Amino acid sequence: MMTIMNGKNPVPTIRAVAVEAGVSVATVSAVINQTRFVSAETARRVNEAIKRSGYRPNRLARGLSTRQTKTIGIVMPTILSPIAPLLLKSAADVLHEHGFAVLFSNTEMQATWEEQAIELMFDSQVDGLLVVPASETLDTLKLFADAGKPVVLLLHGLSGVSGCDVIRSGNFKGSLDAVNHLIGQGAQRIAVLALPLVSESEKDRMDGFRTGILAAGRTLDPELIRVGAPSESGDSEQHGYQETLKLMTLQHPPDAIFAMNQYMAIGALSALKELGQRIPSDVALIGYDDLIWTRNLEPPLSVVAQQVELIGRMGAMRLIGRLENNDRYDTPESVTVDTHLIVRASSDRAGTATG
């Protein structure tokens, strides 16, 4: 069998496979890339020769002939966010089921790293890209647009960026539902542990909170609005704890707190317990995202639940559709996936929670 020596073990070549199967190199290539009809018997001989030799087709080389490498890039701000593993796994599962490999980049909330990751994905000849944007705009996505390669944005969109499909979460409605629920439970002074207004998601959450307060005829009290650290910083839980302690020392402390991520909600819960506050009768509490441990806290935590796994699956399917259904040049789609409020004991003064 013909091989290339790598200094240790012989590396099988496509020519070696062709010799063993008794066919031409072009026939082996056709079987691997499915570029033309090959009889079932010939394909069987080629596949058996590939298996015996251990030959591994080069994806980039295949891409030169098929114009696809069957790889998809996924770029996310961080793997430390509580919802990141769910989003990544749900998207990757769908892509793997459809024969795509996944290249993943974790950009640690750094704009420069995010740009570099997208450039690297493009240079690696991925067929398309799933992105959870961390920056307000991403000029490097133009590389994919100019090459006619599809990009799907997950969780939120980007200002000044066109040509991308967006599968976003209904954050405005999520915050509005939380405020309306707290008001319905008799809360008079609702504090918010907010996030820095960097992405569309954080802005929508804050807009929903403001809208709910103003629609109820309330005044937005600056003392009750505390902007904290993002989940990815590692400081979010401590910030929730410290800001809740400060809120409860106000002359007119809140009787309800809405935390816009789970880490701040945990910090708030710890502070309220330390202060001897009864939850929810003294202070009602709502967090964000329904994770496996939220229902097992004491008391169980009410949350605004995003449908993160659905968003991941929808994003992957949209990308596959662009690649396989000849619709890559159709008008980009923007889909909003609703959140839903899960009421548990931490905010249920009426005692009717079933979540």
Side-chain angles (χ1 to χ4, degrees), residues 70-221:
K70 296 296 284 186
T71 57
I72 298 296
I74 300 180
V75 177
M76 298 178 68
T78 179
I79 203 66
L80 294 179
S81 167
I83 63 172
L86 301 175
L87 188 67
L88 176 60
K89 184 179 187 305
S90 60
D93 284 349
V94 171
L95 292 168
H96 290 151
E97 287 169 6
H98 286 78
F100 289 88
V102 172
L103 299 182
F104 172 71
S105 181
N106 175 40
T107 64
E108 296 295 343
M109 300 293 291
Q110 301 293 319
T112 301
W113 292 10
E114 191 172 40
E115 299 278 358
Q116 291 173 347
I118 291 171
E119 289 177 357
L120 176 61
M121 294 294 184
F122 184 78
D123 291 342
S124 299
Q125 299 184 36
V126 297
D127 298 330
L129 199 61
L130 292 172
V131 183
V132 180
S135 306
E136 293 189 72
T137 185
L138 276 174
D139 293 337
T140 46
L141 289 179
K142 192 173 185 298
L143 290 170
F144 283 82
D146 290 347
K149 292 188 174 186
V151 175
V152 179
L153 306 178
L154 302 179
L155 296 183
H156 51 258
L158 282 166
S159 60
V161 175
S162 60
C164 301
D165 294 294
V166 184
I167 313 294
R168 56 170 47 86
S169 183
N171 287 290
F172 178 90
K173 178 180 178 292
S175 289
L176 182 61
D177 287 347
V179 171
N180 288 340
H181 166 68
L182 292 171
I183 290 172
Q185 294 292 310
Q188 298 299 310
R189 285 178 58 77
I190 303 174
V192 60
L193 299 176
L195 294 165
L197 303 182
V198 176
S199 74
E200 179 186 278
S201 288
E202 288 91 11
K203 294 173 184 176
D204 284 351
R205 289 182 196 185
M206 197 62 205
D207 285 347
F209 175 81
R210 288 194 188 98
T211 298
I213 295 295
L214 296 175
R218 309 286 180 84
T219 300
L220 281 168
D221 185 344

Side-chain angles (χ1 to χ4, degrees), residues 9 21 57 82 111 171 178-179 188 203 212 221 224 276 285 296 300-301 307 316:
N9 299 312
N171 287 290
V179 171
Q188 298 299 310
K203 294 173 184 176
D221 185 344
L224 299 181
L285 178 63
N296 297 317
L301 188 63
Q307 299 188 68

Side-chain angles (χ1 to χ4, degrees), residues 60-73:
L60 296 182
R62 288 174 63 185
L64 294 176
S65 60
T66 66
R67 296 181 181 240
Q68 282 195 4
T69 60
K70 296 296 284 186
T71 57
I72 298 296

Side-chain angles (χ1 to χ4, degrees), residues 42 47 49-50 59 86 136 138 212 256:
T42 300
N47 285 322
I50 289 172
R59 284 183 177 269
L86 301 175
E136 293 189 72
L138 276 174

Side-chain angles (χ1 to χ4, degrees), residues 225-237:
I225 300 174
R226 306 299 174 108
V227 179
S231 304
E232 301 80 17
S233 69
D235 298 326
S236 196
E237 180 179 347

